[in-house]
Amino acid sequence: MAAAGAPDGMEEPGMDTEAETVATEAPARPLNCVEAEAAAGAAVEDSGAARGSLQPAPAQPPGDPAAQASVSNGEDAGGGAGRELVDLKIIWNKTKHDVKFPLDSTGSELKQKIHSITGLPPAMQKVMYKGLVPEDKTLREIKVTSGAKIMVVGSTINDVLAVNTPKDAAQQDAKAEENKKEPLCRQKQHRKVLDKGKPEDVMPSVKGAQERLPTVPLSGMYNKSGGKVRLTFKLEQDQLWIGTKERTEKLPMGSIKNVVSEPIEGHEDYHMMAFQLGPTEASYYWVYWVPTQYVDAIKDTVLGKWQYF
């Protein structure tokens, strides 16, 4: 029977709320066996899903190219991550080094990379790719492409010392030996050449003066056999050319171990001079009647200070 004051088929306001309240407050009824098994299975699935979301991502296998690329890029530092890289072949001292390097890095940054590979200080590097690589331009700006060959010229500090020290020691030893011996011009092997007298076509001398090498060959002098000889200094090729009537010997400056000289008695404005071409005095190449004003310039040119390039 419907409650008084309410039409048939209609509920009084508030009845739904009261029903919900009663349902909420009513104690849960016990589950039967089928319902209990279903609820337990759902709980296990939820637990497994939660554990799965906490598992770390599987590690990439050692041979994975992506993993290897990330290591390589990291080694080629210079901010390479996320930047376009280019494959380079850096060639120094007949050794090739394959590296990846950012295309937007400058020539100065490339020198730092070369330093880390070779130990060659940037200040002593000459880096070339279709000409000298400018330090303030990027590899992209000078149009470096993948697989490009970068040529490097230069010597380490140890190389410089190794080259200079033997020459310095040889010079000192030669001077000590000279002081012990009689004057060279009095020795029999030299007298037979000096006794021929001063050549008529020898270049004039200036006693007490020091001059730079002339732009023309030094000519009119004698060699050990008494034949005419001329000296040509090819500075652009770092060579000394010793020319006779028969042939011309082209000697790298670096192959000449020492240079010794002595004034000729009675003609002190001229010297006799020897170029040491091997490890002993037997390798001396003697030249007679060298104008005195050029003696120091010849020694400085052949045995002068180390030039990096």
Side-chain angles (χ1 to χ4, degrees):
M1 183 174 178
D8 291 341
M10 296 185 60
E11 297 178 351
E12 292 186 0
M15 288 183 65
D16 289 341
T17 303
E18 291 177 2
E20 290 173 1
T21 303
V22 171
T24 302
E25 294 177 352
R29 65 179 179 80
L31 300 176
N32 57 35
C33 294
V34 174
E35 292 173 332
E37 285 185 12
V44 170
E45 290 179 1
D46 291 342
S47 175
R51 285 197 306 272
S53 65
L54 297 176
Q55 291 292 331
Q60 292 174 315
D64 187 357
Q68 293 177 351
S70 64
V71 172
S72 174
N73 294 347
E75 290 176 352
D76 295 316
R83 299 168 67 183
E84 184 178 354
L85 301 178
V86 64
D87 292 316
L88 302 177
K89 291 184 181 297
I90 296 176
I91 303 173
W92 173 72
N93 203 20
K94 298 182 180 179
T95 303
K96 293 182 181 180
H97 304 273
D98 294 323
V99 301
K100 291 182 182 292
F101 198 71
L103 191 57
D104 290 311
S105 293
T106 63
S108 177
E109 292 171 325
L110 179 59
K111 283 190 172 184
Q112 293 294 338
K113 180 63 179 177
I114 293 171
H115 180 210
S116 69
I117 296 172
T118 65
L120 187 62
M124 298 173 70
Q125 295 178 22
K126 196 174 190 178
V127 182
M128 291 173 287
Y129 173 75
K130 297 181 179 179
L132 197 63
V133 174
E135 293 191 356
D136 58 344
K137 291 188 179 294
T138 66
L139 304 191
R140 189 188 299 276
E141 289 175 318
I142 62 175
K143 304 186 185 307
V144 173
T145 57
S146 185
K149 293 181 179 180
I150 306 295
M151 304 297 296
V152 182
V153 178
S155 299
T156 64
I157 295 296
N158 290 337
D159 291 336
V160 173
L161 294 176
V163 170
N164 280 350
T165 301
K167 280 191 176 183
D168 293 342
Q171 282 183 284
Q172 293 174 2
D173 292 343
K175 287 181 179 179
E177 287 297 319
E178 287 175 14
N179 293 334
K180 295 177 183 178
K181 296 178 179 179
E182 64 178 333
L184 293 171
C185 60
R186 295 182 186 177
Q187 295 177 17
K188 184 177 179 180
Q189 60 175 325
H190 303 302
R191 285 267 29 122
K192 64 180 183 180
V193 179
L194 295 175
D195 286 346
K196 293 179 65 174
K198 185 173 71 171
E200 293 182 359
D201 58 346
V202 72
M203 297 182 71
S205 64
V206 182
K207 190 175 181 179
Q210 292 184 358
E211 297 181 9
R212 300 177 63 180
L213 291 175
T215 56
V216 296
L218 293 175
S219 60
M221 300 168 290
Y222 288 141
N223 60 16
K224 191 174 181 179
S225 63
K228 287 296 182 70
V229 65
R230 66 185 177 276
L231 302 178
T232 306
F233 295 88
K234 294 288 187 177
L235 302 183
E236 69 280 1
Q237 300 175 31
D238 198 31
Q239 291 181 346
L240 168 61
W241 291 10
I242 301 178
T244 63
K245 184 179 179 180
E246 294 79 20
R247 60 181 180 178
T248 298
E249 295 285 348
K250 300 179 180 180
L251 306 174
M253 298 283 191
S255 69
I256 300 173
K257 310 300 181 184
N258 195 22
V259 179
V260 297
S261 69
E262 181 183 286
I264 298 173
E265 281 187 340
H267 300 274
E268 282 74 13
D269 50 344
Y270 287 94
H271 280 229
M272 51 188 294
M273 177 177 286
F275 300 95
Q276 184 177 342
L277 308 182
T280 66
E281 290 185 6
S283 66
Y284 280 1
Y285 187 97
W286 286 98
V287 178
Y288 304 86
W289 303 101
V290 179
T292 186
Q293 69 268 26
Y294 299 128
V295 169
D296 287 341
I298 292 173
K299 290 181 178 180
D300 288 344
T301 300
V302 176
L303 302 174
K305 295 180 180 180
W306 174 263
Q307 300 294 319
Y308 293 136
F309 305 112

